[in-house]
Coordinates of all heavy atoms in Angstrom, one line a residue:
M290 N 0.8 -1.2 0.0 CA 0.0 0.0 0.0 C 0.9 1.2 0.0 O 1.9 1.3 0.7 CB -0.9 0.0 1.3 CG -1.7 1.2 1.4 SD -2.7 1.3 2.9 CE -2.1 0.1 4.0
K291 N 0.5 2.2 -0.8 CA 1.2 3.5 -0.8 C 0.2 4.6 -0.6 O -0.9 4.5 -1.2 CB 1.9 3.7 -2.2 CG 3.3 3.1 -2.2 CD 4.3 4.3 -2.3 CE 5.8 4.0 -2.2 NZ 6.1 2.7 -1.6
I292 N 0.5 5.6 0.1 CA -0.4 6.7 0.4 C 0.2 8.0 -0.2 O 1.3 8.3 0.0 CB -0.7 6.9 1.9 CG1 -1.2 5.6 2.5 CG2 -1.6 8.0 2.1 CD1 -1.3 5.6 4.0
L293 N -0.7 8.7 -1.0 CA -0.2 9.9 -1.5 C -1.2 11.0 -0.9 O -2.4 10.8 -0.9 CB -0.4 9.9 -3.0 CG 0.4 8.8 -3.8 CD1 0.0 8.8 -5.2 CD2 1.9 9.0 -3.6
I294 N -0.6 12.1 -0.5 CA -1.4 13.2 0.0 C -1.1 14.5 -0.9 O 0.0 14.6 -1.4 CB -1.2 13.5 1.5 CG1 0.2 13.8 1.8 CG2 -1.8 12.4 2.3 CD1 0.5 14.3 3.2
D295 N -2.2 15.3 -1.1 CA -2.0 16.5 -1.8 C -2.2 17.7 -0.8 O -3.4 18.0 -0.5 CB -3.0 16.6 -2.9 CG -2.8 17.8 -3.8 OD1 -2.2 18.8 -3.4 OD2 -3.3 17.7 -5.0
E296 N -1.1 18.2 -0.3 CA -1.2 19.3 0.7 C -2.0 20.5 0.2 O -2.6 21.2 0.9 CB 0.2 19.7 1.1 CG 0.9 18.7 2.0 CD 2.2 19.3 2.5 OE1 2.5 20.5 2.4 OE2 3.0 18.5 3.0
G297 N -1.9 20.7 -1.2 CA -2.6 21.8 -1.8 C -4.1 21.7 -1.7 O -4.8 22.8 -1.7
K298 N -4.6 20.5 -1.7 CA -6.0 20.3 -1.6 C -6.5 20.3 -0.1 O -7.7 20.6 0.1 CB -6.4 19.0 -2.2 CG -6.4 19.0 -3.7 CD -7.0 17.6 -4.1 CE -6.9 17.4 -5.6 NZ -7.3 16.0 -5.9
C299 N -5.7 19.9 0.8 CA -6.0 19.7 2.2 C -6.6 21.0 2.8 O -6.0 22.1 2.6 CB -4.8 19.2 3.0 SG -5.2 19.1 4.8
V300 N -7.8 20.9 3.5 CA -8.4 22.0 4.1 C -8.3 21.9 5.6 O -8.9 22.7 6.3 CB -9.8 22.2 3.7 CG1 -9.9 22.5 2.2 CG2 -10.7 21.0 4.0
G301 N -7.5 21.0 6.1 CA -7.2 20.9 7.5 C -8.4 20.4 8.4 O -8.5 20.8 9.5
A302 N -9.3 19.7 7.8 CA -10.5 19.2 8.5 C -10.1 18.2 9.6 O -10.9 18.1 10.6 CB -11.5 18.6 7.5
G303 N -9.1 17.5 9.5 CA -8.6 16.6 10.5 C -9.4 15.2 10.6 O -9.1 14.4 11.4
T304 N -10.2 15.0 9.6 CA -11.0 13.7 9.6 C -10.0 12.5 9.4 O -10.2 11.5 10.0 CB -12.0 13.7 8.4 OG1 -12.6 15.0 8.3 CG2 -13.0 12.7 8.6
C305 N -9.0 12.7 8.7 CA -8.0 11.6 8.5 C -7.3 11.2 9.8 O -7.1 10.0 10.0 CB -7.0 12.0 7.4 SG -6.1 13.6 7.8
V306 N -7.0 12.2 10.6 CA -6.3 11.9 11.9 C -7.3 11.1 12.8 O -6.9 10.2 13.5 CB -5.9 13.2 12.5 CG1 -5.2 12.9 13.8 CG2 -5.0 14.0 11.6
L307 N -8.5 11.5 12.8 CA -9.5 10.7 13.6 C -9.6 9.3 13.1 O -9.8 8.4 13.9 CB -10.9 11.4 13.6 CG -10.9 12.8 14.2 CD1 -12.3 13.4 14.0 CD2 -10.6 12.7 15.7
A308 N -9.5 9.1 11.8 CA -9.7 7.8 11.2 C -8.5 6.9 11.4 O -8.6 5.7 11.6 CB -10.1 7.9 9.8
A309 N -7.3 7.5 11.3 CA -6.1 6.7 11.3 C -4.9 7.5 11.9 O -4.1 8.1 11.1 CB -5.7 6.2 9.8
A310 N -4.9 7.6 13.2 CA -3.9 8.4 13.9 C -2.5 7.9 13.7 O -1.5 8.7 14.0 CB -4.3 8.6 15.3
D311 N -2.3 6.7 13.4 CA -0.9 6.2 13.2 C -0.3 6.6 11.9 O 0.9 6.6 11.7 CB -0.9 4.6 13.2 CG -1.2 4.1 14.6 OD1 -1.1 4.8 15.6 OD2 -1.6 2.9 14.7
V312 N -1.2 7.0 11.0 CA -0.7 7.3 9.6 C -0.7 8.8 9.3 O 0.1 9.3 8.6 CB -1.6 6.5 8.6 CG1 -1.2 6.9 7.2 CG2 -1.5 5.0 8.9
F313 N -1.7 9.5 9.9 CA -1.9 10.9 9.6 C -1.8 11.8 10.8 O -2.2 11.4 11.9 CB -3.3 11.2 8.9 CG -3.5 10.4 7.7 CD1 -4.3 9.3 7.7 CD2 -2.9 10.8 6.5 CE1 -4.6 8.5 6.6 CE2 -3.2 10.1 5.3 CZ -4.0 8.9 5.4
D314 N -1.2 13.0 10.6 CA -1.2 14.0 11.7 C -1.5 15.3 11.0 O -1.6 15.4 9.8 CB 0.2 14.0 12.4 CG 0.1 14.6 13.8 OD1 -1.0 15.2 14.2 OD2 1.1 14.6 14.5
Q315 N -1.5 16.4 11.8 CA -1.7 17.7 11.2 C -0.7 18.6 11.7 O -0.2 18.6 12.9 CB -3.1 18.3 11.6 CG -4.3 17.6 11.0 CD -5.6 18.1 11.5 OE1 -6.0 17.7 12.5 NE2 -6.2 19.1 10.8
R316 N -0.2 19.6 10.9 CA 0.8 20.6 11.3 C 0.1 21.4 12.4 O -1.0 21.8 12.3 CB 1.2 21.4 10.1 CG 2.0 20.7 9.1 CD 2.8 21.6 8.2 NE 2.0 22.6 7.5 CZ 2.1 22.7 6.1 NH1 2.8 21.8 5.4 NH2 1.3 23.6 5.5
D317 N 0.9 21.8 13.4 CA 0.4 22.6 14.5 C 0.0 24.0 14.0 O -1.0 24.5 14.4 CB 1.5 22.8 15.6 CG 1.7 21.5 16.4 OD1 0.8 20.7 16.4 OD2 2.7 21.4 17.0
E318 N 0.8 24.5 13.0 CA 0.6 25.9 12.7 C -0.7 26.2 11.8 O -1.3 27.2 11.9 CB 1.8 26.6 12.1 CG 2.4 25.9 10.8 CD 3.3 24.7 11.1 OE1 3.2 24.1 12.2 OE2 4.1 24.4 10.2
D319 N -1.0 25.2 10.9 CA -2.1 25.5 10.0 C -3.0 24.3 9.8 O -4.0 24.4 9.0 CB -1.6 26.0 8.6 CG -0.6 25.0 8.0 OD1 -0.4 23.9 8.6 OD2 0.1 25.4 7.0
G320 N -2.8 23.2 10.5 CA -3.7 22.1 10.4 C -3.6 21.2 9.1 O -4.4 20.3 9.0
I321 N -2.6 21.6 8.3 CA -2.5 20.8 7.1 C -1.9 19.4 7.4 O -1.1 19.2 8.3 CB -1.5 21.5 6.1 CG1 -2.1 22.9 5.7 CG2 -1.2 20.7 4.8 CD1 -3.4 22.8 5.0
V322 N -2.4 18.5 6.6 CA -2.1 17.0 6.9 C -0.6 16.8 6.8 O 0.1 17.3 6.0 CB -2.9 16.1 5.9 CG1 -2.4 16.3 4.5 CG2 -2.8 14.7 6.3
V323 N -0.1 15.9 7.7 CA 1.2 15.4 7.7 C 1.1 13.9 7.6 O 0.4 13.2 8.4 CB 2.0 15.8 9.0 CG1 3.4 15.1 9.0 CG2 2.1 17.3 9.1
L324 N 1.8 13.3 6.6 CA 1.8 11.9 6.4 C 2.9 11.3 7.3 O 4.1 11.5 7.1 CB 2.1 11.5 5.0 CG 1.9 10.1 4.5 CD1 0.5 9.6 4.9 CD2 2.2 10.0 3.0
L325 N 2.5 10.5 8.3 CA 3.5 9.9 9.3 C 4.1 8.6 8.7 O 5.2 8.3 9.0 CB 2.8 9.6 10.6 CG 2.2 10.7 11.4 CD1 1.5 10.2 12.6 CD2 3.3 11.7 11.8
D326 N 3.3 7.9 7.9 CA 3.8 6.6 7.4 C 3.2 6.4 6.0 O 2.0 6.2 5.8 CB 3.3 5.5 8.3 CG 3.9 4.2 8.0 OD1 4.5 4.0 6.9 OD2 3.7 3.2 8.7
A327 N 4.1 6.6 4.9 CA 3.6 6.5 3.6 C 3.4 5.1 3.1 O 2.8 4.9 2.0 CB 4.6 7.2 2.6
D328 N 3.9 4.1 3.9 CA 3.7 2.7 3.5 C 3.4 1.9 4.7 O 4.2 1.1 5.1 CB 5.0 2.3 2.8 CG 4.9 0.9 2.2 OD1 3.8 0.4 2.1 OD2 6.0 0.3 1.9
P329 N 2.2 2.1 5.3 CA 1.9 1.4 6.5 C 1.6 0.0 6.3 O 1.3 -0.5 5.2 CB 0.6 2.2 7.0 CG 0.0 2.7 5.8 CD 1.1 3.0 4.8
P330 N 1.6 -0.8 7.4 CA 1.2 -2.2 7.3 C -0.2 -2.5 6.8 O -1.1 -1.6 6.9 CB 1.4 -2.8 8.7 CG 1.3 -1.6 9.6 CD 1.8 -0.4 8.8
H331 N -0.4 -3.6 6.2 CA -1.7 -3.9 5.6 C -2.8 -3.9 6.6 O -4.0 -3.7 6.2 CB -1.7 -5.2 4.8 CG -1.4 -4.9 3.3 ND1 -0.1 -4.7 2.8 CD2 -2.2 -4.9 2.3 CE1 -0.2 -4.5 1.5 NE2 -1.5 -4.6 1.1
T332 N -2.5 -4.1 7.8 CA -3.5 -4.1 8.9 C -4.2 -2.8 9.0 O -5.3 -2.6 9.5 CB -2.9 -4.6 10.2 OG1 -1.7 -3.8 10.5 CG2 -2.6 -6.1 10.2
S333 N -3.5 -1.7 8.6 CA -4.0 -0.4 8.6 C -4.9 0.0 7.5 O -5.5 1.1 7.5 CB -2.9 0.7 8.7 OG -2.0 0.4 9.7
L334 N -5.0 -0.9 6.5 CA -5.7 -0.6 5.3 C -7.2 -0.1 5.5 O -7.6 0.9 4.9 CB -5.7 -1.7 4.3 CG -6.3 -1.5 2.9 CD1 -5.6 -0.3 2.2 CD2 -6.2 -2.7 2.1
P335 N -7.9 -0.8 6.4 CA -9.3 -0.3 6.6 C -9.4 1.1 7.1 O -10.2 1.9 6.6 CB -9.9 -1.3 7.6 CG -9.1 -2.5 7.4 CD -7.7 -2.0 7.1
Q336 N -8.5 1.4 8.0 CA -8.6 2.8 8.6 C -8.1 3.8 7.6 O -8.6 4.9 7.5 CB -7.6 2.9 9.8 CG -8.2 2.1 11.0 CD -7.7 0.7 11.1 OE1 -7.3 0.1 10.1 NE2 -7.6 0.2 12.3
V337 N -7.1 3.4 6.8 CA -6.6 4.4 5.8 C -7.6 4.6 4.7 O -7.8 5.7 4.2 CB -5.2 3.8 5.2 CG1 -4.8 4.7 4.0 CG2 -4.2 3.8 6.2
R338 N -8.3 3.5 4.3 CA -9.3 3.7 3.3 C -10.4 4.6 3.8 O -11.0 5.4 3.1 CB -9.9 2.3 2.9 CG -9.2 1.6 1.8 CD -10.3 0.7 1.1 NE -9.6 -0.3 0.3 CZ -9.6 -1.6 0.5 NH1 -10.3 -2.1 1.6 NH2 -9.0 -2.5 -0.3
D339 N -10.8 4.4 5.0 CA -11.8 5.2 5.7 C -11.4 6.7 5.7 O -12.2 7.5 5.4 CB -12.0 4.7 7.1 CG -13.2 5.3 7.8 OD1 -14.3 5.4 7.1 OD2 -13.2 5.6 9.0
A340 N -10.2 6.9 6.0 CA -9.7 8.3 6.0 C -9.8 8.9 4.6 O -10.2 10.1 4.5 CB -8.2 8.3 6.5
A341 N -9.4 8.2 3.6 CA -9.4 8.7 2.3 C -10.9 9.0 1.8 O -11.2 10.0 1.2 CB -8.7 7.7 1.3
A342 N -11.7 8.1 2.2 CA -13.1 8.2 1.8 C -13.8 9.4 2.5 O -14.7 10.0 1.9 CB -13.9 6.9 2.1
R343 N -13.4 9.7 3.7 CA -14.0 10.7 4.5 C -13.4 12.1 4.3 O -13.9 13.1 4.8 CB -14.1 10.3 5.9 CG -14.9 9.1 6.1 CD -15.6 9.2 7.5 NE -15.0 8.3 8.4 CZ -15.0 8.4 9.7 NH1 -15.6 9.5 10.2 NH2 -14.5 7.6 10.5
C344 N -12.2 12.2 3.7 CA -11.6 13.5 3.5 C -12.4 14.4 2.6 O -12.7 14.0 1.5 CB -10.2 13.3 2.9 SG -9.4 14.9 2.4
P345 N -12.9 15.5 3.2 CA -13.8 16.3 2.4 C -13.1 17.0 1.2 O -13.8 17.4 0.2 CB -14.2 17.4 3.4 CG -13.1 17.4 4.4 CD -12.6 16.0 4.5
A346 N -11.8 17.0 1.1 CA -11.1 17.7 0.1 C -10.5 16.7 -1.0 O -9.9 17.0 -1.9 CB -9.9 18.5 0.6
L347 N -10.8 15.4 -0.7 CA -10.2 14.3 -1.6 C -8.7 14.5 -1.8 O -8.2 14.3 -2.9 CB -10.9 14.3 -3.0 CG -12.5 14.2 -3.0 CD1 -13.0 14.3 -4.3 CD2 -12.9 12.8 -2.3
A348 N -8.1 14.7 -0.7 CA -6.6 15.0 -0.7 C -5.8 13.7 -0.5 O -4.6 13.8 -0.5 CB -6.3 16.0 0.4
I349 N -6.4 12.6 -0.2 CA -5.7 11.4 0.1 C -6.0 10.3 -1.0 O -7.1 10.0 -1.3 CB -6.2 10.8 1.5 CG1 -6.0 11.8 2.6 CG2 -5.4 9.5 1.8 CD1 -6.6 11.5 3.9
E350 N -4.9 9.8 -1.5 CA -5.0 8.7 -2.5 C -4.3 7.5 -2.0 O -3.2 7.5 -1.5 CB -4.4 9.1 -3.8 CG -4.6 8.1 -4.9 CD -3.9 8.6 -6.3 OE1 -3.5 9.7 -6.4 OE2 -3.8 7.7 -7.1
V351 N -5.0 6.4 -2.1 CA -4.4 5.1 -1.6 C -4.2 4.2 -2.8 O -5.1 3.9 -3.6 CB -5.4 4.4 -0.6 CG1 -4.8 3.1 -0.1 CG2 -5.8 5.3 0.5
V352 N -2.9 3.8 -3.0 CA -2.5 3.0 -4.1 C -2.2 1.6 -3.5 O -1.3 1.5 -2.7 CB -1.3 3.5 -4.8 CG1 -0.9 2.6 -6.0 CG2 -1.5 5.0 -5.2
E353 N -3.0 0.6 -3.9 CA -2.8 -0.7 -3.3 C -2.0 -1.6 -4.3 O -2.0 -1.5 -5.5 CB -4.1 -1.4 -3.0 CG -4.9 -0.6 -1.9 CD -6.2 -1.2 -1.7 OE1 -6.4 -2.4 -1.5 OE2 -7.2 -0.4 -1.6
Ligands
LIG449 S1 -9.2 14.8 6.1 FE1 -8.4 15.7 4.2 S2 -8.7 17.9 4.4 FE2 -8.8 17.0 6.4 S3 -6.7 17.1 7.3 FE3 -6.9 15.1 6.3 S4 -6.2 15.4 4.2 FE4 -6.6 17.4 5.0

């Protein structure tokens, strides 16, 4: 699994962090997403998929 994020699209909603806190974080200064793990274990796939599906800005792409 590979995760791609588009910081330019991110609106700092934080939904991804709530869905998968091991993989996503947000910058303190502006709330923009920070990718903690671009290639997480497959056990994280459901949470990562959920994060991508719920991101209001469609800023997360999951490549399996
Ligand atoms: S859910 Fe989407 S818009 Fe919100 S912080 Fe994560 S990547 Fe950014």
Side-chain angles (χ1 to χ4, degrees):
M290 173 181 21
K291 271 247 171 342
I292 302 171
L293 305 171
I294 55 169
D295 186 338
E296 287 185 13
K298 284 186 183 172
C299 176
V300 294
T304 320
C305 55
V306 182
L307 294 176
D311 290 344
V312 178
F313 303 102
D314 199 356
Q315 288 175 278
R316 293 201 298 238
D317 287 338
E318 58 276 23
D319 56 9
I321 297 300
V322 66
V323 175
L324 189 57
L325 299 176
D326 189 350
D328 188 13
H331 265 79
T332 49
S333 302
L334 185 57
Q336 290 93 332
V337 172
R338 271 210 195 115
D339 190 39
R343 295 214 254 151
C344 173
L347 302 177
I349 302 169
E350 186 181 348
V351 183
V352 182
E353 293 178 49

